[in-house]
Amino acid sequence: MTTPTEGPTEGPTESRTESRTESHCPYCSLQCGMRLVGVRTLEVQPWEEFPVNEGGLCRKGWTAASLLKHRERLTMPLVRKDGELQPATWDEALDLIAERITALQAEHGPDAIAIFGGGGLTNEKAYSLGKFARVALRTAQIDYNGRWCMSSAASAGTRAFGVDRGLPFPLADVERTDVLVLVGSNIAETAPPAARHLTRVRENGGHVVVIDPRRTATADKADTFVQPVPGTDLALALGLLHLVIANGHVDEDYVANRTTGFEEVRRSVAAWWPERVERVTGVPTHELQELARLLGTSQKVMILTARGAEQHATGSDTVLAWINLALALGMPGKEYAGYGCLTGQGNGQGGREHGQKADQLPGYRMIDDPAAREHVAGVWGVSPDSIPGKGRSAYELLMALGTEAGPKAMLVFGSNIIVSAPNVDRVAEHLEALDLLVVCDFVLSETAARADVVLPVTQWAEETGTMTNLEGRVILRQQAIRPPQGVRSDLDVIADLAERVSSPVKFETDPETVFAELGRASAGGKADYSGITYDRIRDEMGVFWGSPRMFADSFATPDGRARCHVVDHRGAAEQPDEDYPVHLTTGRVLAQYQSGAQTRRVRELTDDGIFVELHPMLAGRVGAVDGEAVTVTTRRGSLTAPARVVATIRPDTVFVPFHWVGANRLTNDALDPASRMPEFKVCAASVSA
Ligand code: SF4
């Protein structure tokens, strides 16, 4: 059996006497560097030398250490007895899980067990989890919450460029572009230290364009703000490309030498003249023409998409449309220009590269590729035939739980499904139908509260591991404090369970050893970590996988050319009608992070609870008063919360933040056909006072 992690590791940037550890924030994909100072309790201090944030942190980062000693911290496993979660020993809890897994697999086969991972897990945990599913459990049923985050951009990036890396250039390149276009990104609130680049673009004489149905804090920093109807970013991109072509601003040499498929795309956008685009998107033709001219006459244009453009049933096609525009302008691969995706979760990038996705093996290898299976099987010490095939995507996996043909048990690592899944009341019914639900978490999250077994695990500063930030920079979170007694790391839990279910191979628990194995498993893959070591990461303040600036000479396709894809506007899966006359969109607020399991427990962070943002015209029509309750209803459920009446949102749209239980009762589970991303960002709703 493995033992709980003991004490901080030693490293060149840390000494026990100074008790100063260079590490990174536990939250978003910037992975801001921070110094953690102290022995029994930690204080967060700036780490100015780390280039991504240069010492700056947002309020979430500054207050992150307060969670380590939180009074709601779980320090003993909990097992449900007589309907109540009750304290148990680790042996009791792990024996129970292993016995139930063994019995369920004997009765229903290996796929009776599902694994649900998270985009906040370290690379080492994501890798071990994928291996645990395929080798120890032999189940194909593994996916993770990153499917709901960046999968549309991942799918589009792979199809267009042959590789998926959030930003194919360092974040700091942003400030040296001429025109920065942010499509569906509110970085001023979601990643505030990155917003300094917007200011610097403007100081350098550049131009910032923000496209969003809400005038956000990011839009306030823009030179041009475009406010389309939710779910119409794709039509907007088609319309802009139409005008770029009509204005003669296509970089024809680039298109001829570095792309394929552009002629079909050129023909396909002929039907997207400005008046038609205005009718679909609500963006006036003169704004379209001004923006197209700006893009077509600038030397360096950088287009960045985020969840606002991507979390749609047409998310992949939307990203492809913006990539087509960037390619027509000749930008990808050019210095300080191109296309990128601003990833969301802390390890949104690495989490999808090393095997917790239903269709992938480590190194961004595809699980149905015989050569990939053979390579990874060799590293794992198993036969390629023993590795299961492709499993269900995240939402489809949840919908299969407890059904005749679906898994009967699920183990959840690093995810709070009951807050973050779409159409969540339906998801909750499936969780209820399981024979066994196991949740690893550090507090009793809304999902853990429904589990049969809860395992208390370490938090970021209590363990060491790597993350890959939005630029593809692999960084090292170093352990800075001992975990509370009774708490174990996810790597320990995985290794211990593997042993108890008689895994054919042993699982390592030392993060550096796991990382070295991950490097071997990823060697030769698209995301190849084989040359990266903990020492290099420390010495170089993070190491990019691949080149820091990709695509300068060629793309990662067989012929080195980028692919243009014909895509067309289909609109949101649910359009407003008589019963549900407005658009509902969801998103984040500054003081909270994702499902809020962490940030809602930090006293210093504002927690005003869920609210409904709506325009004064809409408020007047339905009789809503600022601060008083309004009810938002969709075909899936309803929610009552205080109204926030603001002129910054479109009059045909309401906004609800998703950090609290409620928003995702309303959201639509229509899936993107390519990425299997649910349509979180738009559905039809009604509002009443
Ligand atoms: S939440 Fe994101 S932006 Fe804020 S400090 Fe942490 S990593 Fe940086």
Side-chain angles (χ1 to χ4, degrees):
M1 295 295 115
T2 52
T3 52
T5 313
E6 292 284 335
T9 53
E10 298 287 359
T13 54
E14 167 195 3
S15 89
R16 279 175 186 274
T17 47
E18 285 179 7
S19 298
R20 214 168 80 131
T21 308
E22 282 159 359
S23 193
H24 297 267
C25 175
Y27 302 120
C28 85
S29 66
L30 271 193
Q31 284 302 292
C32 292
M34 53 171 61
R35 287 204 168 87
L36 299 173
V37 180
V39 179
R40 287 180 202 287
T41 56
L42 292 180
E43 187 191 328
V44 174
Q45 291 187 1
W47 178 12
E48 288 89 352
E49 299 81 8
F50 187 70
V52 177
N53 57 311
E54 298 171 325
L57 297 169
C58 76
R59 63 184 74 169
K60 298 187 283 286
W62 289 121
T63 56
S66 67
L67 274 174
L68 296 162
K69 303 279 177 189
H70 199 277
R71 60 188 164 76
E72 289 179 55
R73 191 74 198 270
L74 299 174
T75 53
M76 286 186 82
L78 302 172
V79 173
R80 194 169 295 280
K81 293 177 193 152
D82 305 323
E84 298 286 324
L85 282 171
Q86 297 180 19
T89 66
W90 274 98
D91 277 338
E92 278 171 343
L94 293 172
D95 279 344
L96 173 77
I97 299 167
E99 277 163 24
R100 298 294 296 132
I101 287 175
T102 307
L104 287 167
Q105 288 193 318
E107 193 179 340
H108 303 284
D111 281 358
I113 312 301
I115 300 284
F116 201 91
L121 298 177
T122 61
N123 289 318
E124 292 79 355
K125 292 179 188 180
Y127 167 79
S128 289
L129 207 50
K131 178 178 167 183
F132 175 67
R134 275 75 178 231
V135 174
L137 300 178
R138 300 175 326 282
T139 179
Q141 305 305 311
I142 174 169
D143 212 56
Y144 80 126
N145 63 19
R147 178 75 68 176
W148 303 335
C149 205
M150 290 82 49
S151 63
S152 286
S155 151
T158 302
R159 289 171 70 195
F161 304 129
V163 69
D164 155 36
R165 198 175 83 186
L167 295 184
F169 38 71
L171 181 65
D173 278 11
V174 166
E175 60 195 55
R176 299 180 67 176
T177 195
D178 294 336
V179 180
L180 174 66
V181 184
L182 295 175
V183 193
S185 163
N186 182 14
I187 57 169
E189 291 195 75
T190 56
R196 73 191 191 283
H197 297 302
L198 273 55
T199 311
R200 290 183 193 163
V201 170
R202 301 179 72 188
E203 285 169 359
N204 294 339
H207 193 107
V208 177
V209 179
V210 170
I211 298 170
D212 199 309
R214 300 164 63 222
R215 179 181 277 279
T216 60
T218 309
D220 287 340
K221 294 180 182 294
D223 302 281
T224 299
F225 171 54
V226 178
Q227 196 166 22
V229 172
T232 64
D233 293 326
L234 202 167
L236 185 61
L238 298 175
L240 289 170
L241 182 53
H242 173 103
L243 286 169
V244 164
I245 293 169
N247 294 340
H249 287 152
V250 172
D251 185 337
E252 299 290 353
D253 282 349
Y254 178 98
V255 164
N257 295 322
R258 299 212 53 191
T259 72
T260 62
F262 188 72
E263 289 317 311
E264 291 81 356
V265 170
R266 196 193 302 261
R267 280 195 293 278
S268 71
V269 298
W272 285 96
W273 57 89
E275 291 74 15
R276 183 181 175 204
V277 177
E278 175 177 337
R279 215 173 52 243
V280 172
T281 64
V283 178
T285 52
H286 69 89
E287 287 187 21
L288 288 167
Q289 272 151 350
E290 276 167 33
L291 181 53
R293 203 160 300 116
L294 176 72
L295 297 177
T297 54
S298 298
Q299 287 298 310
K300 291 172 280 176
V301 175
M302 189 179 277
I303 299 173
L304 304 180
T305 63
R307 305 304 81 69
E310 300 161 11
Q311 287 179 319
H312 294 274
T314 56
S316 312
D317 283 358
T318 301
V319 175
L320 284 171
W322 288 97
I323 290 176
N324 285 342
L325 179 61
L327 290 169
L329 295 167
M331 297 299 158
K334 191 172 180 176
E335 236 183 2
Y336 314 124
Y339 164 80
C341 154
L342 294 159
T343 58
Q345 293 193 79
N347 200 23
Q349 187 66 43
R352 67 181 185 255
E353 292 170 344
H354 298 298
Q356 59 173 338
K357 215 171 170 183
D359 52 355
Q360 288 180 8
L361 290 172
Y364 221 111
R365 290 183 154 94
M366 302 317 289
I367 203 163
D368 49 11
D369 172 3
R373 295 170 67 85
E374 193 169 332
H375 172 83
V376 174
V379 175
W380 286 350
V382 299
S383 137
D385 295 341
S386 70
I387 298 177
K390 187 172 159 180
R392 296 175 171 95
S393 76
Y395 187 72
E396 290 160 305
L397 177 58
L398 296 179
M399 284 300 100
L401 297 177
T403 62
E404 178 124 7
K408 309 292 184 266
M410 184 164 75
L411 279 59
V412 180
F413 293 77
S415 188
N416 189 8
I417 295 164
I418 285 295
V419 180
S420 58
N423 193 7
V424 79
D425 287 345
R426 229 178 129 204
V427 170
E429 287 167 16
H430 284 274
L431 293 183
E432 278 301 311
L434 285 171
D435 290 357
L436 175 72
L437 176 63
V438 178
V439 175
C440 296
D441 212 325
F442 75 100
V443 289
L444 201 62
S445 69
E446 288 80 0
T447 309
R450 291 167 179 256
D452 300 294
V453 182
V454 183
L455 302 176
V457 288
T458 43
Q459 291 189 63
W460 102 111
E462 298 162 353
E463 58 190 9
T464 293
T466 61
M467 310 281 280
T468 306
N469 83 347
L470 79 174
E471 315 161 282
R473 187 193 304 257
V474 184
I475 56 93
L476 184 63
R477 280 189 190 163
Q478 306 197 95
Q479 187 183 7
I481 194 169
R482 286 172 191 271
Q485 201 147 24
V487 166
R488 290 189 181 185
S489 90
D490 302 81
L491 289 180
D492 290 328
V493 171
I494 291 167
D496 208 330
L497 278 175
E499 192 176 328
R500 286 173 201 250
V501 297
S502 307
S503 166
V505 299
K506 186 175 177 296
F507 282 68
E508 298 294 341
T509 58
D510 169 52
E512 194 164 2
T513 308
V514 176
F515 189 73
E517 185 184 311
L518 178 164
R520 291 194 297 280
S522 71
K526 284 191 172 162
D528 183 342
Y529 282 39
S530 57
I532 306 174
T533 63
Y534 277 20
D535 283 344
R536 266 194 74 195
I537 300 173
R538 287 191 190 99
D539 292 347
E540 298 171 35
M541 283 195 273
V543 178
F544 286 86
W545 68 255
S547 161
R549 291 189 179 84
M550 304 172 106
F551 314 146
D553 302 316
S554 72
F555 295 95
T557 53
D559 61 6
R561 290 167 178 248
R563 304 280 183 268
C564 300
H565 291 266
V566 172
V567 289
D568 206 4
H569 168 76
R570 300 191 294 280
E574 264 184 17
Q575 293 295 335
D577 57 18
E578 214 173 294
D579 296 330
Y580 301 99
V582 298
H583 301 282
L584 166 71
T585 189
T586 61
R588 297 199 251 163
V589 297
L590 174 62
Q592 299 295 325
Y593 177 70
Q594 304 295 45
S595 82
Q598 294 149 289
T599 47
R600 280 188 276 123
R601 290 179 164 84
V602 177
R603 275 221 318 267
E604 298 92 327
L605 292 176
T606 320
D607 182 357
D608 295 336
I610 200 161
F611 59 87
V612 178
E613 192 179 283
L614 72 171
H615 192 275
M617 278 162 58
L618 178 58
R621 214 163 60 231
V622 302
V625 175
D626 190 55
E628 294 189 7
V630 285
T631 299
V632 181
T633 305
T634 70
R635 288 182 175 84
R636 292 154 293 282
S638 70
L639 126 89
T640 300
R644 279 199 192 168
V645 180
V646 294
T648 48
I649 191 167
R650 290 181 58 91
D652 57 5
T653 302
V654 294
F655 166 82
V656 177
F658 66 77
H659 310 288
W660 296 268
V661 172
N664 277 319
R665 286 200 177 117
L666 311 178
T667 46
N668 193 353
D669 53 9
L671 300 182
D672 181 293
S675 65
R676 318 310 286 164
M677 165 76 82
E679 187 142 86
F680 286 104
K681 282 294 177 197
V682 62
C683 64
S686 66
V687 194
S688 58

